[in-house]
Amino acid sequence: MSLLKKIYCWIDVRIGAGELVEKELTGYLLPRNINVWYSMGSILLVIFFLQVVTGILLLVYYVPDADKAFHSVTFIMNNVPFGWLIRMCHAVGSNMMVLILLFHMLSVLFMGSYKSPREMNWLSGFILFNLVLAVSLTGYLLPWSQLSFWATTVATNSVGAIPYVGEFLVEFLRGGKLVGPATLGRFFALHVLLIPLTIAAVVGAHLFFLQRTGVSTPPFGLTDSRNQWQGDNYRYESHPGGIPFFPNYALQDMTSIAIYFAFFLGVFFFAPYIFFPADAFVPANPFLTPAHIKPEWYFLANYQTLKIFPSEFFGLAVQGAAMTFLALLPFIDRGVEKHPLKRPLFMVCAIGGILLYLALMIWGHYS
């Protein structure tokens, strides 16, 4: 018996490692028609882990002080060994996290995986999406550049359009009337501690719900693609005769993660400044407003919506209604059919919504 085998047996007889591997890996069966879109969650976990690691490394040299923040970021980029690599990984990774999260939510939408009994899976995922946007927004201010300063000014200004509490919320977010050192301190605390801890907690809840409900069966390639849950009692969706998670789907997960890294490195090496306009390299100047300040690409649709309506309040109200509808979708769409081609009303609304979002994003970019 080899040394490794002896060590494994020693551990197995004490904690039942073999039983655990059988239950969670080799004996954990997935639908036979599972597809590559189910790997989006694994990719997101890898991205979140890398964001935490690179963020911790950046904290070694970053100074959250309005007089020193920009220079500390410049020092990281130019003087710290591999500092440019870590900072670029963190900045590009934050954009990739939003992009992959959008793909993940779209796959859940089109495969009907949000339907009963997975309402809590959907709601926790929707909360995660908003938390990722929040951590991206708060991180945007930290370099204390012209871009980050004025983009944050525009973003926090829009909250002021909410009746009665708008002015209070603006001052609460900024720590004063204007964006300043107090804003940087608040956004820094939110970005490095409060929001990441909340994301980790909600990710844990999301995985717990997935563990309790089981992996949903994709509707493609089935004769009957209707939701089989009757709503009378708890039922774990098992997949007898399915494929084991390990090694079969674990290999698919690793393949998807490798493809993601290829795409990530492609952006990193061939278009590293795609997310860094010229104003990102100029220190913040509260007395000089840039000519064309724009938010990040994932806020461009929101930005253009606010510009379309004559009142910012109506723009916010429309966006609030759309987000509420999206959050409550599992409670609104009670149909049993999951296949998207058998849900014509859903397809019209979903594709129309995606095209509208893309059109607003492009309009916002060129406006």
Side-chain angles (χ1 to χ4, degrees), residues 35-201:
N35 55 53
V36 67
W37 292 101
Y38 281 68
S39 294
M40 294 294 122
S42 300
I43 297 175
L44 283 167
L45 286 175
V46 171
I47 298 175
F48 181 64
F49 173 75
L50 288 178
Q51 288 302 100
V52 171
V53 171
T54 53
I56 291 172
L57 292 174
L58 289 174
L59 282 177
V60 175
Y61 288 98
Y62 176 74
V63 182
D65 182 287
D67 294 327
K68 301 175 182 175
F70 184 82
H71 296 294
S72 68
V73 173
T74 305
F75 181 78
I76 290 170
M77 292 289 286
N78 298 326
N79 299 89
V80 176
F82 301 106
W84 63 273
L85 179 67
I86 296 166
R87 200 244 168 159
M88 295 293 284
C89 278
H90 196 73
V92 175
S94 68
N95 285 275
M96 291 296 180
M97 188 158 61
V98 177
L99 181 65
I100 301 298
L101 190 49
L102 280 172
F103 285 154
H104 185 45
M105 292 188 73
L106 285 176
S107 70
V108 172
L109 266 179
F110 280 94
M111 286 189 274
S113 299
Y114 59 87
K115 290 177 177 287
S116 302
R118 295 184 169 79
E119 293 91 340
M120 289 188 286
N121 304 49
W122 174 260
L123 282 174
S124 56
F126 182 79
I127 292 170
L128 276 174
F129 176 68
N130 285 278
L131 287 170
V132 168
L133 292 181
V135 81
S136 301
L137 176 67
T138 51
Y140 208 55
L141 179 65
L142 302 193
W144 205 247
S145 63
Q146 272 288 73
L147 176 69
S148 60
F149 181 90
W150 288 103
T152 304
T153 300
V154 172
T156 49
N157 265 343
S158 61
V159 181
I162 300 174
Y164 305 113
V165 297
E167 289 301 319
F168 168 77
L169 288 176
V170 171
E171 287 196 31
F172 178 76
L173 286 171
R174 293 177 174 175
K177 295 287 184 185
L178 301 172
V179 173
T183 319
L184 181 62
R186 293 184 178 210
F187 276 42
F188 176 75
L190 288 170
H191 183 74
V192 305
L193 187 65
L194 186 61
I195 299 177
L197 286 178
T198 309
I199 288 177

Side-chain angles (χ1 to χ4, degrees), residues 247-325:
N248 298 51
Y249 202 72
L251 184 60
Q252 175 61 64
D253 268 350
M254 287 189 285
T255 304
S256 299
I257 291 169
I259 292 172
Y260 163 75
F261 274 120
F263 179 63
F264 174 82
L265 293 175
V267 173
F268 192 90
F269 287 113
F270 294 103
Y273 296 113
I274 190 173
F275 302 119
F276 295 91
D279 288 323
F281 300 100
V282 179
N285 184 350
F287 304 105
L288 180 62
T289 308
H292 301 288
I293 197 73
K294 297 285 176 62
E296 282 280 46
W297 62 271
Y298 40 83
F299 286 125
L300 280 174
N302 310 71
Y303 165 77
Q304 188 58 34
T305 304
L306 290 176
K307 290 176 66 177
I308 291 173
F309 291 91
S311 162
E312 280 195 349
F313 170 72
F314 287 115
L316 285 176
V318 168
Q319 293 180 53
M323 292 297 278
T324 303
F325 176 82

Side-chain angles (χ1 to χ4, degrees), residues 29-35 217-218 220 222 239-244 248-249:
L29 301 180
L30 301 173
R32 296 199 70 83
N33 61 338
I34 195 168
N35 55 53
T217 304
F220 308 117
L222 301 176
H239 305 283
I243 61 171
N248 298 51
Y249 202 72

